[in-house]
Every structure is written in structure tokens, then in C-alpha cells.
Amino acid sequence: MIEYSTDEDDRNFLQKYGWHFIILFITIYYLKRNVFMPILSERQRKQNYKQATDPQRVAMLQEQMIKVRLEQQRQAELKSNEAKEKKKLKKIQRLKETKVDQPLGKTNVGGGHRLGSGDDPGSSSTSNRNSSSSTSSYNPLMPSTGHVGPSYR
């Protein structure tokens, strides 16, 4: 017949050997963390490196990389060509919008007035600028110009 232990026997066993179990668990945890895990991780790292540098695998990956890069280059060229065409169309459209239609028979090729040259078609715009500089006007780089009142020089 099998005798079953009572609660008091279990309590006596834990009181007698409890610290031994605690020390045993702490030792196992310490050994696992500081001895076995570094060995296992180093072994795993070496195995991963060996698989990663396998010549067959590297050759296959190199071929795939070349295919992907060629596809990326093709797509970039397509986008570039599309952008060039859009830019060209925008430029043509902008020119059409800003183009002023001349009345028939009244084309001034080479003749006409320059902007800012005054009434005289023969005068240049630089002579007008020089003559206007003698009048008092404000120049932000020269604060003493164009002011009313005493100068501080």
C-alpha cells in the first residue's frame, strides 16, 4: 500500500530543503545567463555568418539585386522623360498665354522704344538712370540719401 504524504510532511521537507532549492534555482539562472547563453549566441552568430556568405546564396542575391536596380533605373528614366515632357508643355503653354498678337501689317522688327527710356527713342536707359540719380531719392544702402532734414555727416 502507498502512503501519501501529509501536509505536515510537505512542510517539514520545505523547511529542511527550501534554501537548497532557492540556491539551486539561482545557480541555474546564473549559469544559463552568463555561461550558456553567450556560447549559444556565438554559435548562432557563426552559423548565420556562414549562411550569409555562402557563395551560391550571394550569387543569387547579386543577380536579384541587379534585376531590381535595372528596373529602378528604367522607372527613373520614365519619370524623368515624363517630367521633361510636362516641363516642355508648360513652357509652350506659358508662351501661348503671354504671347501678344500684333495687328497685321504693324510689326516693329528692331524698331521701337525700350522701357524706361523716356520719349526719345534714341536715348538709352542708362543715361536716364544717371540723370535721375542727381535728384533726391531714397537708396536703402545709403541712408543719407533722399531724406528731408539735416545730414549727419
Side-chain angles (χ1 to χ4, degrees):
M1 187 162 174
I2 300 176
E3 283 188 35
Y4 293 104
S5 63
T6 62
D7 288 338
E8 193 164 318
D9 291 340
D10 293 340
R11 199 173 304 132
N12 287 337
F13 180 79
L14 285 177
Q15 284 178 354
K16 189 173 185 180
Y17 298 109
W19 285 108
H20 294 90
F21 280 115
I22 292 174
I23 291 172
L24 177 69
F25 288 132
I26 290 173
T27 305
I28 290 172
Y29 176 76
Y30 177 81
L31 289 175
K32 178 186 172 195
R33 185 170 180 207
N34 295 326
V35 177
F36 296 125
M37 290 305 288
I39 292 171
L40 291 175
S41 64
E42 181 68 20
R43 187 172 166 202
Q44 182 69 32
R45 189 187 62 79
K46 286 181 181 179
Q47 185 179 5
N48 288 343
Y49 180 77
K50 186 177 178 181
Q51 288 175 354
T53 57
D54 181 31
Q56 291 177 345
R57 182 175 183 269
V58 170
M60 181 186 65
L61 291 175
Q62 189 72 21
E63 290 175 11
Q64 290 176 353
M65 183 179 67
I66 289 171
K67 288 178 185 177
V68 168
R69 295 249 169 100
L70 288 174
E71 179 64 24
Q72 288 174 344
Q73 181 66 29
R74 187 185 65 78
Q75 289 177 357
E77 287 174 357
L78 284 175
K79 286 182 180 180
S80 174
N81 290 337
E82 288 176 5
K84 284 180 184 178
E85 289 177 19
K86 284 182 181 179
K87 187 175 181 182
K88 195 177 199 181
L89 290 174
K90 281 185 180 181
K91 184 176 181 181
I92 291 171
Q93 185 180 5
R94 198 175 320 120
L95 286 175
K96 285 181 182 179
E97 289 175 358
T98 58
K99 184 177 179 182
V100 176
D101 292 329
Q102 295 289 329
L104 294 177
K106 288 200 170 191
T107 57
N108 280 339
V109 179
H113 300 285
R114 290 188 178 189
L115 292 176
S117 64
D119 294 335
D120 184 19
S123 69
S124 68
S125 62
T126 56
S127 64
N128 273 346
R129 270 188 256 142
N130 291 338
S131 65
S132 67
S133 65
S134 64
T135 62
S136 64
S137 63
Y138 178 69
N139 183 355
L141 298 176
M142 298 178 66
S144 63
T145 61
H147 68 279
V148 178
S151 68
Y152 293 102
R153 286 188 181 202

